[in-house]
Amino acid sequence: MTPTTDVRAAAEGHLRALVGREDAVLREDQWSAISALVEQRSRALVVQKTGWGKSAVYFVATLLLRSQGAGPTVIISPLLALMRNQIEAAERAGIRAATINSTNIEDWSAIERGVHAGELDVLLVSPERLNNPGFRDAVLPRLAATCGLLVIDEAHCISDWGHDFRPDYRRIRTLLGELPSGIPVLATTATANARVTADVAEQLGEGVLVLRGSLDRESLRLGVVRLPTIEQRLAWLADHLAEQPGSGIVYCLTVAATQEVADYLRSRGHHVAAYSGQTETTERQALEADLAAGRIKALIATSALGMGFDAALGFVVNLGAPSSPVAYYQQVGRAGRGTIEDASVVLLPGAEDRDIWAYFASLAFPREELVRRTLEVLEQAGRPLSTPTLESYVELGRSRLETMLKVLDVDGAVRRVQGGWEATGQSWSYDADRYARVAEARALEQRAMLDYIATDACRMRYLREQLDDPDAVDCGRCDNCGGLRLSVDTSPAAVEEAGARLARPGVVIEPRKMWPQALPNLGIELKGKIADAAEPGRAIARLTDLGHGQALRELFRSAEAPASVPVSLVRAVVEILGDWRPHVDAIVTVESATRPELVTDLAAGLSRYLQRPIVGTFALVDPTVPPGAGAANSAQRVAAVSRRSALRAEIAPGARVLLVDDRVVTGWTMTLAARALRAAGAGGVLPLALALES
């Protein structure tokens, strides 16, 4: 036997232990990748469909390399669910694996000692750890010098052309440049078109082996059900969820929708639960286990239940379309894995989807002047500044500011250190053309998603072509190919109950509890707990909600500000008051620069209904401060509202005040108005608004 034959025989022995089947053999591309990593110690990019066996490549390669005396494999993985699944798979093959992530900080030291003592074969690391100063400076150099194999899972995240670009992944390029020669590298993904594949391959370096296979998912039957109203779409779910095979996922576009939909489906007798990035970690793990074991019919989830969740699911339903066919392909790839031979995939698109796409598109890379301002503040400080401190100088929200700083870090303009961020002094250029091209690519993806919904051609072929799969052919399984028949019927009872639930108004306006950090930097001496806060208030709905959210979006999208509150929303306010029953003595308005007549009309109607007087307003006193100034972050917003508005009202001592506004965006206007009212003698302040921004 030749050395190659011996290595392949050993590789297939490891594969059988990994999958628990004596008849298992390697695919040719699996062997090509393993051979490149183990025999040639080179770099490979594997673009293969979900369920193809990409993890088998790096686990088998790990066992072979470890038997040759190589160091442990380091896997960079984006999600905790992925890490948990991979550790379980590794242990089945006798691989000793551990993970370093934000949930197990207390275990880091022991894990690091185990790595250096040779007691671990695989270390899984979240990409966020790569930019943690302590890990980056103390741990990462040793790992880079001693690892036997570096694996970059979900490698499309490296590319800003990818549908799920993550700035933390950009640090991998630096890591690749610091690896000693002879350490093999494997990058894997199921969702990369030709452009993303080329971008990732370029970042891996010269001579990378690219293995790209067919992206057909033979177990999936794709279909679209187009219904005109959200009530009908919810009713379709209620009527047809039980018909879907096995257990599965119902994807929603927003966190609020997961709660609404789960609540409605439970009322219709379905065993479901809501799941999102806001779900507590232990609960998420329990829900994932229940779904994988079939103890629950469906999780009603955001895309937080995405990459890396490995279970044999019989269906995926999307209530609302993702903004790109590639993202959609990845989500539907959760179904039809393992032993599932026939899985149904249903899309229920809605007109409101585009509003949500537009919101997420607004979170793109900031304008050049905001980036320059950030660099200027850091340079002038001459010391590290925390993100909350930077917020007081730069009008960007926390998440966008963090994302921008991570990009600047990788570009070399700033550096994350203990205590925050510091400028490096290196020159930096704003690549406006590239950012514009990325934005254009996102717009084209949205257009392509709409075309997927409307097409009468093969749906799987359409998705494969969006991923530049050269072997794409008609699948014979989707609704357009005749392989899936989907009823559009909904029962009157389900539609009626869905309508009743969506028409039920009322979400709580939670009062702000703490002042933003670093307000003294802006000359405002407020800090710590807010002692004179408002009480919990009410709004009809969030703008992202499925029910009244649509009417509210239309109201606030209108170029011409309406003079009066629409009748349907008046009824909703009356219903809220009937449920809430607020005890108030007077009404104060928040003066609006953009919709003054709307707020006046709302307050007048409330005054008549409650028989309470309007005693004043939180007035606009500085017209040079534009509406929405500072709304991107809390410190800037407090400063802007403090300059812009002042209380003009006569408040009886101890009076309870209903504070009326059209929309709550950040909550700081209501907070400062409540503070002023309490200072003027109010005994309590209860906010009421038509809408919550989120």
PDB file of all heavy atoms in Angstrom, residues 510-515 529-536 670-675 678 682-687:
ATOM      1  N   GLU A 510     -41.662  50.891  28.754  1.00  0.00           N
ATOM      2  CA  GLU A 510     -40.863  50.714  29.960  1.00  0.00           C
ATOM      3  C   GLU A 510     -40.047  51.980  30.218  1.00  0.00           C
ATOM      4  O   GLU A 510     -39.376  52.486  29.321  1.00  0.00           O
ATOM      5  CB  GLU A 510     -39.918  49.519  29.817  1.00  0.00           C
ATOM      6  CG  GLU A 510     -40.628  48.179  29.716  1.00  0.00           C
ATOM      7  CD  GLU A 510     -41.268  47.743  31.027  1.00  0.00           C
ATOM      8  OE1 GLU A 510     -41.055  48.425  32.049  1.00  0.00           O
ATOM      9  OE2 GLU A 510     -41.978  46.718  31.011  1.00  0.00           O
ATOM     10  N   PRO A 511     -40.089  52.511  31.437  1.00  0.00           N
ATOM     11  CA  PRO A 511     -39.318  53.724  31.716  1.00  0.00           C
ATOM     12  C   PRO A 511     -37.824  53.449  31.738  1.00  0.00           C
ATOM     13  O   PRO A 511     -37.382  52.352  32.080  1.00  0.00           O
ATOM     14  CB  PRO A 511     -39.814  54.139  33.100  1.00  0.00           C
ATOM     15  CG  PRO A 511     -40.283  52.869  33.734  1.00  0.00           C
ATOM     16  CD  PRO A 511     -40.841  52.030  32.619  1.00  0.00           C
ATOM     17  N   ARG A 512     -37.053  54.447  31.322  1.00  0.00           N
ATOM     18  CA  ARG A 512     -35.601  54.370  31.456  1.00  0.00           C
ATOM     19  C   ARG A 512     -35.241  54.339  32.938  1.00  0.00           C
ATOM     20  O   ARG A 512     -35.844  55.044  33.736  1.00  0.00           O
ATOM     21  CB  ARG A 512     -34.945  55.578  30.795  1.00  0.00           C
ATOM     22  CG  ARG A 512     -35.048  55.575  29.270  1.00  0.00           C
ATOM     23  CD  ARG A 512     -34.009  54.664  28.680  1.00  0.00           C
ATOM     24  NE  ARG A 512     -33.893  54.811  27.238  1.00  0.00           N
ATOM     25  CZ  ARG A 512     -32.947  54.240  26.513  1.00  0.00           C
ATOM     26  NH1 ARG A 512     -32.034  53.481  27.099  1.00  0.00           N
ATOM     27  NH2 ARG A 512     -32.898  54.410  25.213  1.00  0.00           N
ATOM     28  N   LYS A 513     -34.248  53.535  33.285  1.00  0.00           N
ATOM     29  CA  LYS A 513     -33.900  53.368  34.702  1.00  0.00           C
ATOM     30  C   LYS A 513     -32.559  53.973  35.068  1.00  0.00           C
ATOM     31  O   LYS A 513     -32.310  54.293  36.230  1.00  0.00           O
ATOM     32  CB  LYS A 513     -33.912  51.882  35.064  1.00  0.00           C
ATOM     33  CG  LYS A 513     -35.301  51.246  34.973  1.00  0.00           C
ATOM     34  CD  LYS A 513     -35.251  49.778  35.337  1.00  0.00           C
ATOM     35  CE  LYS A 513     -36.652  49.172  35.407  1.00  0.00           C
ATOM     36  NZ  LYS A 513     -37.373  49.250  34.141  1.00  0.00           N
ATOM     37  N   MET A 514     -31.627  54.108  34.080  1.00  0.00           N
ATOM     38  CA  MET A 514     -30.293  54.614  34.367  1.00  0.00           C
ATOM     39  C   MET A 514     -29.927  55.703  33.357  1.00  0.00           C
ATOM     40  O   MET A 514     -30.252  55.592  32.171  1.00  0.00           O
ATOM     41  CB  MET A 514     -29.254  53.485  34.274  1.00  0.00           C
ATOM     42  CG  MET A 514     -29.475  52.325  35.217  1.00  0.00           C
ATOM     43  SD  MET A 514     -29.194  52.733  36.961  1.00  0.00           S
ATOM     44  CE  MET A 514     -27.420  52.991  36.952  1.00  0.00           C
ATOM     45  N   TRP A 515     -29.241  56.752  33.854  1.00  0.00           N
ATOM     46  CA  TRP A 515     -28.744  57.776  32.939  1.00  0.00           C
ATOM     47  C   TRP A 515     -27.573  57.223  32.128  1.00  0.00           C
ATOM     48  O   TRP A 515     -26.823  56.376  32.622  1.00  0.00           O
ATOM     49  CB  TRP A 515     -28.287  59.012  33.716  1.00  0.00           C
ATOM     50  CG  TRP A 515     -29.402  59.750  34.385  1.00  0.00           C
ATOM     51  CD1 TRP A 515     -29.646  59.844  35.722  1.00  0.00           C
ATOM     52  CD2 TRP A 515     -30.442  60.505  33.747  1.00  0.00           C
ATOM     53  NE1 TRP A 515     -30.769  60.595  35.964  1.00  0.00           N
ATOM     54  CE2 TRP A 515     -31.285  61.015  34.760  1.00  0.00           C
ATOM     55  CE3 TRP A 515     -30.754  60.786  32.413  1.00  0.00           C
ATOM     56  CZ2 TRP A 515     -32.407  61.799  34.487  1.00  0.00           C
ATOM     57  CZ3 TRP A 515     -31.872  61.567  32.148  1.00  0.00           C
ATOM     58  CH2 TRP A 515     -32.684  62.061  33.158  1.00  0.00           C
ATOM     59  N   LYS A 529     -28.752  55.959  38.793  1.00  0.00           N
ATOM     60  CA  LYS A 529     -30.165  55.599  38.701  1.00  0.00           C
ATOM     61  C   LYS A 529     -31.029  56.841  38.536  1.00  0.00           C
ATOM     62  O   LYS A 529     -30.779  57.885  39.147  1.00  0.00           O
ATOM     63  CB  LYS A 529     -30.586  54.839  39.955  1.00  0.00           C
ATOM     64  CG  LYS A 529     -31.994  54.287  39.901  1.00  0.00           C
ATOM     65  CD  LYS A 529     -32.309  53.454  41.142  1.00  0.00           C
ATOM     66  CE  LYS A 529     -33.717  52.883  41.072  1.00  0.00           C
ATOM     67  NZ  LYS A 529     -34.031  52.074  42.274  1.00  0.00           N
ATOM     68  N   ILE A 530     -32.067  56.722  37.698  1.00  0.00           N
ATOM     69  CA  ILE A 530     -33.003  57.825  37.482  1.00  0.00           C
ATOM     70  C   ILE A 530     -34.029  57.789  38.612  1.00  0.00           C
ATOM     71  O   ILE A 530     -34.872  56.886  38.696  1.00  0.00           O
ATOM     72  CB  ILE A 530     -33.694  57.708  36.110  1.00  0.00           C
ATOM     73  CG1 ILE A 530     -32.649  57.757  34.998  1.00  0.00           C
ATOM     74  CG2 ILE A 530     -34.723  58.820  35.924  1.00  0.00           C
ATOM     75  CD1 ILE A 530     -33.204  57.497  33.606  1.00  0.00           C
ATOM     76  N   ALA A 531     -33.954  58.782  39.497  1.00  0.00           N
ATOM     77  CA  ALA A 531     -34.801  58.781  40.697  1.00  0.00           C
ATOM     78  C   ALA A 531     -36.202  59.309  40.428  1.00  0.00           C
ATOM     79  O   ALA A 531     -37.143  59.024  41.177  1.00  0.00           O
ATOM     80  CB  ALA A 531     -34.134  59.605  41.789  1.00  0.00           C
ATOM     81  N   ASP A 532     -36.366  60.118  39.381  1.00  0.00           N
ATOM     82  CA  ASP A 532     -37.654  60.761  39.107  1.00  0.00           C
ATOM     83  C   ASP A 532     -38.202  60.307  37.754  1.00  0.00           C
ATOM     84  O   ASP A 532     -38.654  61.105  36.947  1.00  0.00           O
ATOM     85  CB  ASP A 532     -37.515  62.289  39.146  1.00  0.00           C
ATOM     86  CG  ASP A 532     -36.233  62.768  38.468  1.00  0.00           C
ATOM     87  OD1 ASP A 532     -35.641  61.980  37.703  1.00  0.00           O
ATOM     88  OD2 ASP A 532     -35.850  63.931  38.686  1.00  0.00           O
ATOM     89  N   ALA A 533     -38.157  59.006  37.529  1.00  0.00           N
ATOM     90  CA  ALA A 533     -38.583  58.443  36.253  1.00  0.00           C
ATOM     91  C   ALA A 533     -40.100  58.394  36.143  1.00  0.00           C
ATOM     92  O   ALA A 533     -40.831  58.488  37.141  1.00  0.00           O
ATOM     93  CB  ALA A 533     -38.020  57.033  36.087  1.00  0.00           C
ATOM     94  N   ALA A 534     -40.563  58.200  34.919  1.00  0.00           N
ATOM     95  CA  ALA A 534     -41.980  57.970  34.676  1.00  0.00           C
ATOM     96  C   ALA A 534     -42.371  56.572  35.156  1.00  0.00           C
ATOM     97  O   ALA A 534     -41.518  55.707  35.379  1.00  0.00           O
ATOM     98  CB  ALA A 534     -42.286  58.104  33.188  1.00  0.00           C
ATOM     99  N   GLU A 535     -43.665  56.355  35.293  1.00  0.00           N
ATOM    100  CA  GLU A 535     -44.182  55.016  35.540  1.00  0.00           C
ATOM    101  C   GLU A 535     -44.297  54.288  34.195  1.00  0.00           C
ATOM    102  O   GLU A 535     -44.216  54.909  33.139  1.00  0.00           O
ATOM    103  CB  GLU A 535     -45.548  55.112  36.222  1.00  0.00           C
ATOM    104  CG  GLU A 535     -45.493  55.778  37.596  1.00  0.00           C
ATOM    105  CD  GLU A 535     -46.872  55.927  38.224  1.00  0.00           C
ATOM    106  OE1 GLU A 535     -47.766  55.121  37.883  1.00  0.00           O
ATOM    107  OE2 GLU A 535     -47.049  56.849  39.046  1.00  0.00           O
ATOM    108  N   PRO A 536     -44.471  52.967  34.205  1.00  0.00           N
ATOM    109  CA  PRO A 536     -44.693  52.274  32.934  1.00  0.00           C
ATOM    110  C   PRO A 536     -45.905  52.858  32.206  1.00  0.00           C
ATOM    111  O   PRO A 536     -46.944  53.121  32.821  1.00  0.00           O
ATOM    112  CB  PRO A 536     -44.946  50.820  33.367  1.00  0.00           C
ATOM    113  CG  PRO A 536     -44.222  50.696  34.673  1.00  0.00           C
ATOM    114  CD  PRO A 536     -44.392  52.032  35.347  1.00  0.00           C
ATOM    115  N   MET A 670     -39.448  61.308  26.713  1.00  0.00           N
ATOM    116  CA  MET A 670     -40.391  61.014  27.790  1.00  0.00           C
ATOM    117  C   MET A 670     -39.701  61.066  29.157  1.00  0.00           C
ATOM    118  O   MET A 670     -40.264  61.569  30.143  1.00  0.00           O
ATOM    119  CB  MET A 670     -41.014  59.631  27.580  1.00  0.00           C
ATOM    120  CG  MET A 670     -42.040  59.549  26.460  1.00  0.00           C
ATOM    121  SD  MET A 670     -43.590  60.364  26.909  1.00  0.00           S
ATOM    122  CE  MET A 670     -44.728  59.620  25.736  1.00  0.00           C
ATOM    123  N   THR A 671     -38.480  60.565  29.224  1.00  0.00           N
ATOM    124  CA  THR A 671     -37.747  60.543  30.496  1.00  0.00           C
ATOM    125  C   THR A 671     -37.474  61.961  30.996  1.00  0.00           C
ATOM    126  O   THR A 671     -37.690  62.273  32.185  1.00  0.00           O
ATOM    127  CB  THR A 671     -36.422  59.784  30.324  1.00  0.00           C
ATOM    128  OG1 THR A 671     -36.703  58.448  29.895  1.00  0.00           O
ATOM    129  CG2 THR A 671     -35.637  59.740  31.621  1.00  0.00           C
ATOM    130  N   LEU A 672     -36.994  62.833  30.112  1.00  0.00           N
ATOM    131  CA  LEU A 672     -36.678  64.203  30.515  1.00  0.00           C
ATOM    132  C   LEU A 672     -37.942  65.009  30.796  1.00  0.00           C
ATOM    133  O   LEU A 672     -37.968  65.856  31.704  1.00  0.00           O
ATOM    134  CB  LEU A 672     -35.824  64.878  29.444  1.00  0.00           C
ATOM    135  CG  LEU A 672     -34.393  64.319  29.362  1.00  0.00           C
ATOM    136  CD1 LEU A 672     -33.723  64.731  28.064  1.00  0.00           C
ATOM    137  CD2 LEU A 672     -33.564  64.774  30.556  1.00  0.00           C
ATOM    138  N   ALA A 673     -39.003  64.737  30.029  1.00  0.00           N
ATOM    139  CA  ALA A 673     -40.272  65.407  30.302  1.00  0.00           C
ATOM    140  C   ALA A 673     -40.815  64.978  31.661  1.00  0.00           C
ATOM    141  O   ALA A 673     -41.310  65.805  32.450  1.00  0.00           O
ATOM    142  CB  ALA A 673     -41.280  65.091  29.203  1.00  0.00           C
ATOM    143  N   ALA A 674     -40.724  63.691  31.980  1.00  0.00           N
ATOM    144  CA  ALA A 674     -41.187  63.198  33.280  1.00  0.00           C
ATOM    145  C   ALA A 674     -40.365  63.817  34.407  1.00  0.00           C
ATOM    146  O   ALA A 674     -40.914  64.192  35.460  1.00  0.00           O
ATOM    147  CB  ALA A 674     -41.085  61.675  33.323  1.00  0.00           C
ATOM    148  N   ARG A 675     -39.064  63.947  34.201  1.00  0.00           N
ATOM    149  CA  ARG A 675     -38.206  64.567  35.217  1.00  0.00           C
ATOM    150  C   ARG A 675     -38.625  66.015  35.473  1.00  0.00           C
ATOM    151  O   ARG A 675     -38.711  66.466  36.624  1.00  0.00           O
ATOM    152  CB  ARG A 675     -36.748  64.509  34.757  1.00  0.00           C
ATOM    153  CG  ARG A 675     -35.748  65.116  35.730  1.00  0.00           C
ATOM    154  CD  ARG A 675     -34.320  64.817  35.258  1.00  0.00           C
ATOM    155  NE  ARG A 675     -33.352  65.352  36.206  1.00  0.00           N
ATOM    156  CZ  ARG A 675     -32.779  66.546  36.106  1.00  0.00           C
ATOM    157  NH1 ARG A 675     -33.068  67.342  35.058  1.00  0.00           N
ATOM    158  NH2 ARG A 675     -31.911  66.963  37.012  1.00  0.00           N
ATOM    159  N   ARG A 678     -41.953  66.029  37.368  1.00  0.00           N
ATOM    160  CA  ARG A 678     -41.787  65.700  38.779  1.00  0.00           C
ATOM    161  C   ARG A 678     -41.175  66.884  39.530  1.00  0.00           C
ATOM    162  O   ARG A 678     -41.561  67.177  40.661  1.00  0.00           O
ATOM    163  CB  ARG A 678     -40.902  64.462  38.930  1.00  0.00           C
ATOM    164  CG  ARG A 678     -41.521  63.173  38.376  1.00  0.00           C
ATOM    165  CD  ARG A 678     -42.748  62.733  39.163  1.00  0.00           C
ATOM    166  NE  ARG A 678     -42.420  62.415  40.534  1.00  0.00           N
ATOM    167  CZ  ARG A 678     -42.000  61.223  40.948  1.00  0.00           C
ATOM    168  NH1 ARG A 678     -41.875  60.228  40.072  1.00  0.00           N
ATOM    169  NH2 ARG A 678     -41.723  61.020  42.216  1.00  0.00           N
ATOM    170  N   ALA A 682     -45.432  67.210  40.059  1.00  0.00           N
ATOM    171  CA  ALA A 682     -46.277  66.060  39.724  1.00  0.00           C
ATOM    172  C   ALA A 682     -45.987  64.889  40.657  1.00  0.00           C
ATOM    173  O   ALA A 682     -44.828  64.598  40.970  1.00  0.00           O
ATOM    174  CB  ALA A 682     -46.051  65.650  38.272  1.00  0.00           C
ATOM    175  N   GLY A 683     -47.054  64.208  41.056  1.00  0.00           N
ATOM    176  CA  GLY A 683     -46.890  63.042  41.906  1.00  0.00           C
ATOM    177  C   GLY A 683     -46.617  61.772  41.132  1.00  0.00           C
ATOM    178  O   GLY A 683     -46.168  60.775  41.700  1.00  0.00           O
ATOM    179  N   GLY A 684     -46.884  61.769  39.851  1.00  0.00           N
ATOM    180  CA  GLY A 684     -46.634  60.613  38.999  1.00  0.00           C
ATOM    181  C   GLY A 684     -46.792  61.006  37.541  1.00  0.00           C
ATOM    182  O   GLY A 684     -47.545  61.930  37.230  1.00  0.00           O
ATOM    183  N   VAL A 685     -46.071  60.323  36.644  1.00  0.00           N
ATOM    184  CA  VAL A 685     -46.139  60.604  35.209  1.00  0.00           C
ATOM    185  C   VAL A 685     -46.352  59.295  34.477  1.00  0.00           C
ATOM    186  O   VAL A 685     -45.588  58.337  34.643  1.00  0.00           O
ATOM    187  CB  VAL A 685     -44.851  61.288  34.700  1.00  0.00           C
ATOM    188  CG1 VAL A 685     -44.957  61.573  33.202  1.00  0.00           C
ATOM    189  CG2 VAL A 685     -44.576  62.574  35.479  1.00  0.00           C
ATOM    190  N   LEU A 686     -47.418  59.240  33.650  1.00  0.00           N
ATOM    191  CA  LEU A 686     -47.761  58.032  32.906  1.00  0.00           C
ATOM    192  C   LEU A 686     -47.702  58.340  31.410  1.00  0.00           C
ATOM    193  O   LEU A 686     -48.548  59.072  30.885  1.00  0.00           O
ATOM    194  CB  LEU A 686     -49.159  57.538  33.278  1.00  0.00           C
ATOM    195  CG  LEU A 686     -49.332  56.989  34.698  1.00  0.00           C
ATOM    196  CD1 LEU A 686     -49.494  58.127  35.707  1.00  0.00           C
ATOM    197  CD2 LEU A 686     -50.544  56.058  34.753  1.00  0.00           C
ATOM    198  N   PRO A 687     -46.722  57.829  30.677  1.00  0.00           N
ATOM    199  CA  PRO A 687     -46.604  58.096  29.244  1.00  0.00           C
ATOM    200  C   PRO A 687     -47.659  57.343  28.423  1.00  0.00           C
ATOM    201  O   PRO A 687     -48.008  56.199  28.728  1.00  0.00           O
ATOM    202  CB  PRO A 687     -45.206  57.597  28.889  1.00  0.00           C
ATOM    203  CG  PRO A 687     -44.488  57.484  30.200  1.00  0.00           C
ATOM    204  CD  PRO A 687     -45.551  57.118  31.190  1.00  0.00           C
TER     205      PRO A 687
END
